[in-house]
Each structure stands twice: as C-alpha cells, then as structure tokens.
Amino acid sequence: MSMLIVFGLFSACEEDKTEVFWNDKQAPTLISISPASAKEGNEITIEGKYFSSTADNKVTLNGLEAEVTAANLTTIKAIVPEGATSGDIVVNKNGMASNSLPCTIVPLVIPTVASISPEKGKIGEEVIITGTDFSTTPSENIVKFNGTEATVIESTETTITAKVPPGATTGNVTVTRDRESNGVMFTVKISYNFTMQISADEDDVEEGALNGAMALTSSDLELAEYDTWDAISGTDQGVQTIGLRFNEIAIPTGASILSASIQFTCDAPGADEAQMTIYGENTGNSQPFTEEAYNVTRRSKTTENSVWEIPEWEAAGDAGMAQRTTELAGVVQEIVDRQDWSSGNSMSFILEPSGSSVNETSSKGGREAEAGVGDDAAILTIIYELESN
C-alpha cells in the first residue's frame, strides 16, 4: 500500500513539473523581456511559460505583429517590426492571450548628408562629409562611395572625414547608422601615366635661323646653341628652333592634364646661360616634318608656353632633372581641349631660343641632346586624370 502511495505522489509531482512548461489549455505567461528597450529590426527575447514549441505563437508589440524567429516552451525570440512604437508585448497561443509587458522602442538614427568637400577627388584623398546625426565614434558611421565602403578617419555629430576607397567609382556617397542616409554625388577621378618616345629619325628636327633650312636626321639637337651647319648657303645657321613630334598619344578627350614634360639625354655638356621657350603645335593631329624651309616656325603655335631655363649639363649620357623640361601641362591641355583632338593622334612641340640665347654666338656653351630613335631618344611623359563612370 505504501509503495502505491509513493508512486502516486511521484506521478503527481511529474505532472506538476511538466505543467510549468506546457499546458495546451493554459494561456501563455510572460515573465521578462530582454532587452527592455530596442530598435526596429532588433531581436528581443521573451521569457515565460506555456508557450508553443511550434510556430503557433503570435507576438504583438503595441498591436503590430513581430516575426518569431525561434521558440520553445519557455522562450520566444522575435524581431521588432518596422514602424513599432513603445508599448506592450503580448503573446497569443491558440487564441489565448498572455499578460502584457512593456517594451520601449528607441527611434532609429538615420543620418542626413548635406554636402561633400571637395565634390571630386582621387582614390586615397580625404573628403569631408557634412550633415546631421553622425556618430562621434568613427567606427559607428558606415560611409560608402557608390557602394564601396570607406575608411572613416574622424567624426563629429555634423562632419565626417573619410578617404576615397580603392575601387570607388562615381556615384552617391551615403552614411549609415541604423539606416542609410540620402546620397550626395561624388565624382571619382582616376590618374594615368602616359609615356611616348620619339619613334622616327624625322620626328626630332632642327630648323636653322638663317634661312629656315631643315635638318631631319641630325645625330644631336642643339638647344640654345649656335650651330655652324648650313645645307644651302654654306653660312652658319645660328641658334636653331627644335621640332619634336610624338605619335600615338593615347590621351582621351576630356582628360585633365596634371603634368607633362619632355626628357632629353645629354650628348655633350654645357654650362652657359641657355633658355628655350616651348610651345605646342596648335593642331589636334600634327603632321610629319618635311624639308620645306621654316617647316617648324611656320606652324601654328599654342597660346600656352613654358620658358625653360636650362640648367648645366655635366656629362654625356646624363638623363636627369637637368635634362627634363619645365612643366608643359598647360601646353598639352590646350591641344587636348581642341575639337579636332582624338586619342591616338600625333602631338608636336616647338622649342624656340629665347632670352639671351636668341643672340648666342658660341657653339659650345649651349646644350646638345641626343637625337633620333633608341634608348636615349626624347621621351614625352603626360600624367592626366579622368572622371570615372
């Protein structure tokens, strides 16, 4: 008899213990909600009893239904629904409503972007984004350039300093905290480096000052130096004008020229004062030089020019800064901006003696550069940038 009593008590205890977790006839009971405050899209955890371990639990927050992501007899996980406001959480199971517990909904932080300075820039450059509702903790601001995330350097509530990220392209810049901001257009500029060497003997030429005689295949170029050569009258030609033509210049229309220069190689040293003024030929596609007299100086010149005060050249074979022209970006830009310019066209430069070099009488004090084709031929270098698509 005592054994039956003990067994009956054990069975009753088991039934009571099971009822704590599940009772199909019992309305759910809420015990706690974590966290007590949340934002749209956050996951909350509801602790209680008499829940359904299947998808039969319906969770509402201030009347809005929340998505249940997981459930068992004592725990429900749900997502705060869009548009939710602070209010009561209730769980329904099989038409039976639980007690309610309060939940505070914190408003989402959605930044606003007003402007970007500068509005155009290259990869790696810093820009300042101005707006509202930024975080003072840099890592909490997600900045994207047309979808590519950037490194945030520093931030305040109204400004963010960020670097244009590798792979960025032209498009909207946005800032995300809880949600993404509006977008403001930023143009990404990409820099390119183009080089081209003299490719034919007839592309670096000399024109005599006496009667315009042309030397198309000279072994060197006299820069600001008196030349005794004359193919016509036997009289010294004096200080010559130099023509340089570079072919297949792959600079697209619309390019912004950042820098341009011509690199020479020293053929013979010189230390006297020497000055040349460098123009471009004012055409979108320069034609080959010919033996016709004055075939360099009779060509139309660009308005833009650059005065080259040539430093001392110390030794044959030198090809350093002393043998590099002054900045020619303005000259090249004027040519590229012409309507008849097209990528792949030819571009010529005209180097005229100027300053004291106009009346130079020495055949040794100027500068002699290598001429013709080969490793020591003149090299044109152009650095330019384009706006990415």
Side-chain angles (χ1 to χ4, degrees):
M1 182 68 177
S2 59
M3 292 180 61
L4 291 174
I5 293 172
V6 171
F7 178 78
L9 290 173
F10 179 78
S11 299
C13 289
E14 282 297 306
E15 289 175 2
D16 290 344
K17 182 177 180 181
T18 302
E19 189 177 6
V20 172
F21 299 101
W22 176 82
N23 187 326
D24 195 39
K25 307 296 185 182
Q26 178 69 46
T29 299
L30 307 189
I31 298 173
S32 66
I33 298 170
S34 177
S37 61
K39 296 178 181 180
E40 285 184 19
N42 287 170
E43 186 178 73
I44 57 173
T45 300
I46 305 167
E47 299 288 349
K49 57 184 179 179
Y50 308 134
F51 299 151
S52 171
S53 60
T54 65
D56 297 332
N57 301 292
K58 180 180 178 181
V59 177
T60 58
L61 170 55
N62 208 20
L64 285 178
E65 186 170 353
E67 178 188 357
V68 175
T69 58
N72 58 38
L73 301 178
T74 60
T75 304
I76 295 175
K77 292 185 180 295
I79 303 298
V80 177
E82 183 178 350
T85 55
S86 296
D88 290 333
I89 287 182
V90 176
V91 175
N92 275 268
K93 180 193 74 175
N94 297 330
M96 296 178 288
S98 71
N99 60 309
S100 63
L101 289 179
C103 182
T104 300
I105 300 303
V106 180
L108 295 176
V109 180
I110 306 176
T112 299
V113 176
S115 63
I116 303 172
S117 180
E119 297 177 347
K120 300 178 180 181
K122 294 183 289 188
I123 289 171
E125 288 187 349
E126 291 186 7
V127 300
I128 296 177
I129 304 167
T130 302
T132 59
D133 294 321
F134 300 153
S135 173
T136 56
T137 302
S139 61
E140 293 179 355
N141 301 292
I142 307 301
V143 176
K144 292 184 178 181
F145 285 73
N146 202 21
T148 301
E149 189 169 342
T151 298
V152 177
I153 300 171
E154 57 185 10
S155 62
T156 69
E157 292 181 354
T158 57
T159 62
I160 293 174
T161 301
K163 284 189 175 183
V164 182
T169 55
T170 295
N172 282 332
V173 171
T174 60
V175 178
T176 300
R177 290 189 65 187
D178 293 325
R179 292 287 188 273
E180 189 174 58
S181 71
N182 61 304
V184 173
M185 179 63 67
F186 181 82
T187 302
V188 176
K189 294 183 174 182
I190 302 176
S191 296
Y192 300 88
N193 192 317
F194 172 84
T195 61
M196 180 58 67
Q197 198 163 26
I198 290 291
S199 57
D201 287 334
E202 297 79 10
D203 283 338
D204 54 354
V205 301
E206 299 166 311
E207 178 191 300
L210 176 65
N211 52 27
M214 297 292 298
L216 302 185
T217 58
S218 176
S219 62
D220 59 15
L221 302 172
E222 279 83 9
L223 308 178
E225 181 175 275
Y226 190 88
D227 194 357
T228 58
W229 166 82
D230 176 28
I232 300 176
S233 64
T235 305
D236 295 349
Q237 278 289 350
V239 185
Q240 299 176 122
T241 297
I242 307 300
L244 301 171
R245 179 173 180 262
F246 297 90
N247 302 303
E248 300 179 3
I249 307 300
I251 306 296
T253 55
S256 295
I257 308 304
L258 304 179
S259 179
S261 62
I262 299 171
Q263 179 69 57
F264 293 99
T265 298
C266 176
D267 182 58
D272 290 353
E273 288 187 10
Q275 184 187 100
M276 301 286 280
T277 298
I278 306 173
Y279 300 85
E281 183 184 359
N282 193 21
T283 178
N285 191 18
S286 179
Q287 299 304 303
F289 295 111
T290 71
E291 293 183 347
E292 180 185 1
Y294 299 106
N295 192 244
V296 177
T297 55
R298 284 179 178 170
R299 297 186 178 214
S300 176
K301 297 184 295 186
T302 57
T303 301
E304 290 288 335
N305 62 81
S306 181
V307 178
W308 185 20
E309 299 284 355
I310 309 177
E312 177 182 358
W313 288 12
E314 297 181 351
D318 287 350
M321 289 300 299
Q323 291 77 36
R324 188 175 304 169
T325 67
T326 52
E327 184 57 61
L328 302 176
V331 175
V332 174
Q333 188 72 69
E334 184 174 340
I335 297 172
V336 171
D337 286 346
R338 289 178 54 91
Q339 291 186 349
D340 58 346
W341 172 259
S342 181
S343 180
N345 284 359
S346 296
M347 182 182 296
S348 287
F349 297 87
I350 299 169
L351 288 69
E352 292 185 347
S354 57
S356 60
S357 295
V358 173
N359 299 313
E360 179 63 61
T361 58
S362 171
S363 61
K364 296 182 180 180
R367 311 293 184 267
E368 294 183 17
E370 295 285 357
V373 297
D375 293 341
D376 52 10
I379 300 172
L380 171 65
T381 297
I382 301 173
I383 299 173
Y384 67 97
E385 64 184 13
L386 293 173
E387 296 179 0
S388 70
N389 296 322

